[in-house]
Amino acid sequence: ENAEPVDGKTKEELEGQLVRVRDMLEREREERNYFQLERDKIVTFWEITKRQLEESRAEARLKEREREEMEDKHAVEIKVYKQKVKHLLYEHQNEVAELRAENASELKVVGDQHAQEEGLLRKDKRSLKVELKEKELSHEEILKNMQMEYDKQVTALREDLLRQAKDMSHKYEKRSEILREELELRRKTEIHEIEERKNGQISTLMRNHEKAFSDIKNYYNDITLNNLALINTLKEQVEELKKKDERMEKLMTEITQENKRLTEPLARARSEVDELRKALAGYDKDKAALQSAKSRLRSQEEFIAQLKWEHEVLQQRFIEVEKERDELYANYVKTIHDVQQKSGLKNLLLERKLGAVSDMLEKKEAQLNEVLTASNLDPAALSVVTRKLEDVMDSKNAAIKDLQFDLARVCKSHNDMLKAFESKMRELSVPIEELGFKPIVFQSSQTLGMGPAGLVAS
C-alpha cells in the first residue's frame, strides 16, 4: 500500500508541491489585481495632470492678452498726450495773437488822442502866441515841473505794478508747486503699489507652475522605475515556471518508460498499475493546474506588454513636454529682446519731446515777458493777462509732469521686468551672457523719471 517514490519524490511531496503551485497562482491573481489598480491610478493621475496643464496654458494666454491690451492702452495714451500738447500750443499761439492785436489797438487809440491834443494845443498856441510871449519863461518852468512830476508818478506806478506782478507770480508758483508735488506723490505711490502686487502675483504663479511640473516629473520617474522592477520580477517568475514545466514533462516521460519495462507477475503488476493510475490521476490534476498557470502567465505577459506600451507613451509625452518647455524658453528670450528695444525707443522719443516742449515754453515765456514790459498796460488789463498766463502755464506744466510721469513709469516697468527675467534665468541656471545682447537698465541718476524716495524710478 505504500507508494513507491516517483523521480525521487513521494506522493506527499507531490501534494505539497501542488499546494505550493496553487498558492503561487493565488499570489499571481492578487498581483494582477494590484497591477490593474495601479494602472487605473496612473491613468487618473495623467488625466488630472493634463487638465492642470491645459488650465495653466489658458492662464498664460490670458496674461499674454492682458499684456497686449496694456501695451495698446499705453500707445493710445501717448497719442492722447500728443494731441493735448498740440492743442496747448495752438491755444498759446491764439492768445499771443490776441494780445498783440489788443496792444496794437490800444496804442493806436492813445496815438490818436495825443494827436488831437497836440492839434488843440497848437491852435491855442497860435491864437495866444502874442499874449503868452511875455509869460514864456514862467510857462516853460511850469511845463518842466509838470513833466518831472508826471515822470515820477509813471515810475512809481510802474515799480508798484512790477512788484505786485512778482509777488503774485511767486505766490501762485509756490501754491502750484506744493499741489503738484502732493498729487504726484499720491499717484506714484498708488501706481507703485499696483505694480508691486502685479509682480508678486506673477512670481507666485511662476513658482506654483514650476513646483507642479517638478512634482509630475518626479512622480512619473518613480512610476517608471517601479514598472521596470516589476517587469524584471515577472520575467524571473516566468523562467521558474518554464523550468518547472520542463521537469514535469521529463517526469511524465520517465514514468511512461518505467511502465513499459515492468515485467513482474500479474498481481504485482495489477497492484502497481492501480498505484500508477492513482499517481497518474494526481499527475493529470497537476498538468491541468500547469495549463491554467500557463494561461495566466500569458495574460501576465500581455499585461506586461501593455505596461511597456503605456511607459513608452508616457516617455514620448514627457519628451514633448520638455520640447515645449525649450520652445517657451526660446520665446521668452526673444520677448525680452523685443521689449527692451521697444521700451528704449519709447523712452528716447519721450525725452526728446519733453526737451523740445521745455525749450519752446521758455522761448514763449521770454517773448511774453518782453511784450508785457513793452506794452505798459493798466493794472486791470495786467491782472487779466497775468491770470490767463498762469492758467496756460499751469496746464502746460501739468502736461509736462504727465509726460515725465509716463516716462518714469515706463522706465520702472522696464527695470522691474529685467530684474524678474534675470532672477528667473538664475533659477534655471542660465547665464545672462547667453542672451547675445546686453540689457539696457535706466539708472536712478537720470533727471527724468525720478520720484520722491525712489517710489517710481529706481
Side-chain angles (χ1 to χ4, degrees), residues 4 24 73 352:
E4 293 183 358
M24 188 181 297
K73 185 177 179 182
R352 290 182 178 177

Side-chain angles (χ1 to χ4, degrees), residues 21-35 233-234 237-238 241 293 296-297 299-300:
V21 170
R22 289 177 179 175
D23 294 336
M24 188 181 297
L25 291 176
E26 290 296 329
R27 286 196 300 273
E28 291 292 334
R29 289 194 189 99
E30 293 176 356
E31 289 178 353
R32 182 191 63 183
N33 295 329
Y34 174 77
F35 291 149
T233 305
L234 292 175
Q237 293 178 0
V238 168
L241 290 175
R296 292 194 183 101
L297 180 61
S299 65
Q300 291 294 328

Side-chain angles (χ1 to χ4, degrees), residues 240-457:
E240 291 178 358
L241 290 175
K242 287 182 178 179
K243 290 180 181 179
K244 289 180 181 179
D245 190 13
E246 291 177 356
R247 287 197 299 270
M248 295 298 291
E249 291 289 341
K250 186 176 180 181
L251 178 61
M252 182 178 174
T253 305
E254 291 178 355
I255 290 172
T256 305
Q257 292 176 359
E258 186 177 359
N259 287 330
K260 291 180 180 179
R261 288 195 302 268
L262 291 175
T263 56
E264 294 181 356
L266 182 59
R268 186 177 176 184
R270 287 179 179 177
S271 62
E272 289 177 358
V273 167
D274 294 334
E275 293 174 357
L276 289 174
R277 282 179 181 176
K278 294 178 181 179
L280 184 60
Y283 174 74
D284 291 335
K285 293 180 181 179
D286 294 337
K287 188 175 181 181
L290 183 61
Q291 292 294 330
S292 63
K294 287 182 178 179
S295 63
R296 292 194 183 101
L297 180 61
R298 283 194 296 271
S299 65
Q300 291 294 328
E301 288 178 350
E302 292 176 356
F303 179 68
I304 291 170
Q306 181 70 20
L307 287 177
K308 287 182 179 179
W309 180 78
E310 290 178 356
H311 174 69
E312 292 177 357
V313 171
L314 291 174
Q315 190 70 26
Q316 292 177 359
R317 289 178 180 173
F318 178 71
I319 293 171
E320 291 177 357
V321 171
E322 286 186 341
K323 184 178 179 181
E324 185 177 356
R325 183 199 63 188
D326 296 336
E327 291 177 356
L328 288 174
Y329 177 72
N331 294 328
Y332 170 77
V333 175
K334 185 178 179 182
T335 304
I336 292 175
H337 186 64
D338 294 339
V339 170
Q340 283 182 343
Q341 291 181 349
K342 291 180 181 178
S343 61
L345 182 59
K346 288 180 181 178
N347 293 335
L348 183 60
L349 291 175
L350 287 174
E351 289 178 358
R352 290 182 178 177
K353 288 180 180 178
L354 285 173
V357 171
S358 299
D359 295 337
M360 187 178 293
L361 285 175
E362 290 177 357
K363 292 180 181 178
K364 296 297 181 182
E365 287 178 356
Q367 292 176 1
L368 189 58
N369 290 326
E370 292 177 359
V371 170
L372 291 174
T373 305
S375 61
N376 292 326
L377 298 176
D378 56 350
L382 183 61
S383 63
V384 173
V385 172
T386 304
R387 188 164 54 254
K388 290 183 179 180
L389 178 61
E390 287 177 355
D391 294 337
V392 173
M393 291 299 295
D394 290 338
S395 62
K396 292 183 181 297
N397 288 330
I400 291 172
K401 288 295 183 180
D402 291 336
L403 292 174
Q404 288 178 347
F405 178 70
D406 290 336
L407 178 60
R409 184 169 58 82
V410 172
C411 294
K412 177 67 167 57
S413 301
H414 175 76
N415 292 334
D416 291 341
M417 182 186 63
L418 284 180
K419 290 179 182 178
F421 287 164
E422 289 177 358
S423 63
K424 185 64 178 178
M425 293 177 69
R426 284 194 293 269
E427 290 178 1
L428 297 174
S429 299
V430 178
I432 301 176
E433 290 77 11
E434 292 186 0
L435 290 175
F437 61 91
K438 185 177 180 181
I440 300 174
V441 179
F442 295 95
Q443 301 295 331
S444 60
S445 60
Q446 294 175 339
T447 57
L448 292 176
M450 289 183 65
L455 290 179
V456 176

Side-chain angles (χ1 to χ4, degrees), residues 40-61 209 212 216 220 317 321 324:
D40 295 336
K41 288 181 180 179
I42 291 170
V43 172
T44 304
F45 288 147
W46 178 79
E47 290 176 353
I48 293 171
T49 305
K50 182 179 179 182
R51 186 163 57 253
Q52 291 177 353
L53 181 60
E54 291 176 353
E55 292 176 355
S56 299
R57 289 178 178 173
E59 291 178 356
R61 288 194 296 270
H209 180 69
I216 291 170
Y220 281 112
R317 289 178 180 173
V321 171
E324 185 177 356

Side-chain angles (χ1 to χ4, degrees), residues 80-267:
V80 172
Y81 290 139
K82 289 181 180 178
Q83 294 294 329
K84 287 182 179 179
V85 171
K86 291 181 180 178
H87 183 65
L88 291 172
L89 291 175
Y90 179 76
E91 289 181 353
H92 180 67
Q93 291 176 358
N94 290 334
E95 291 174 356
V96 170
E98 290 176 359
L99 290 174
R100 287 179 179 176
E102 291 176 0
N103 291 329
S105 62
E106 290 176 357
L107 288 173
K108 186 176 180 181
V109 171
V110 173
D112 294 336
Q113 291 177 357
H114 282 291
Q116 291 177 2
E117 291 176 358
E118 187 177 0
L120 293 174
L121 290 173
R122 285 179 181 177
K123 289 179 181 179
D124 294 337
K125 184 179 179 181
R126 283 193 298 268
S127 63
L128 299 174
K129 188 174 182 181
V130 177
E131 295 177 359
L132 295 177
K133 193 171 183 179
E134 291 90 1
K135 299 180 181 180
E136 186 176 1
L137 294 175
S138 62
H139 182 67
E140 288 179 356
E141 291 178 359
I142 292 171
L143 287 176
K144 287 180 181 179
N145 292 329
M146 289 176 67
Q147 186 67 34
M148 290 175 64
E149 186 178 357
Y150 176 74
D151 290 338
K152 289 179 180 179
Q153 291 178 357
V154 170
T155 303
L157 182 60
R158 184 177 297 171
E159 290 178 355
D160 190 14
L161 291 175
L162 290 174
R163 181 179 55 77
Q164 291 179 2
K166 288 182 179 179
D167 293 338
M168 292 174 66
S169 177
H170 288 305
K171 182 175 70 174
Y172 285 110
E173 283 180 358
K174 289 180 180 179
R175 288 176 60 185
S176 61
E177 186 68 25
I178 293 170
L179 182 60
R180 191 180 301 117
E181 289 179 356
E182 290 177 356
L183 294 176
E184 183 179 2
L185 180 61
R186 187 185 305 167
R187 289 172 59 190
K188 289 179 180 180
T189 305
E190 292 176 356
I191 292 174
H192 176 69
E193 292 176 356
I194 293 170
E195 289 184 353
E196 292 297 332
R197 288 198 297 271
K198 181 191 71 176
N199 294 330
Q201 291 177 359
I202 291 173
S203 61
T204 303
L205 289 173
M206 294 175 71
R207 286 195 300 270
N208 293 334
H209 180 69
E210 290 176 355
K211 183 179 179 181
F213 180 76
S214 61
D215 292 339
I216 291 170
K217 184 176 179 182
N218 295 328
Y219 175 72
Y220 281 112
N221 288 332
D222 295 337
I223 290 175
T224 304
L225 295 174
N226 293 331
N227 289 335
L228 291 174
L230 179 62
I231 289 168
N232 294 327
T233 305
L234 292 175
K235 284 183 178 179
E236 293 176 358
Q237 293 178 0
V238 168
E239 292 295 332
E240 291 178 358
L241 290 175
K242 287 182 178 179
K243 290 180 181 179
K244 289 180 181 179
D245 190 13
E246 291 177 356
R247 287 197 299 270
M248 295 298 291
E249 291 289 341
K250 186 176 180 181
L251 178 61
M252 182 178 174
T253 305
E254 291 178 355
I255 290 172
T256 305
Q257 292 176 359
E258 186 177 359
N259 287 330
K260 291 180 180 179
R261 288 195 302 268
L262 291 175
T263 56
E264 294 181 356
L266 182 59

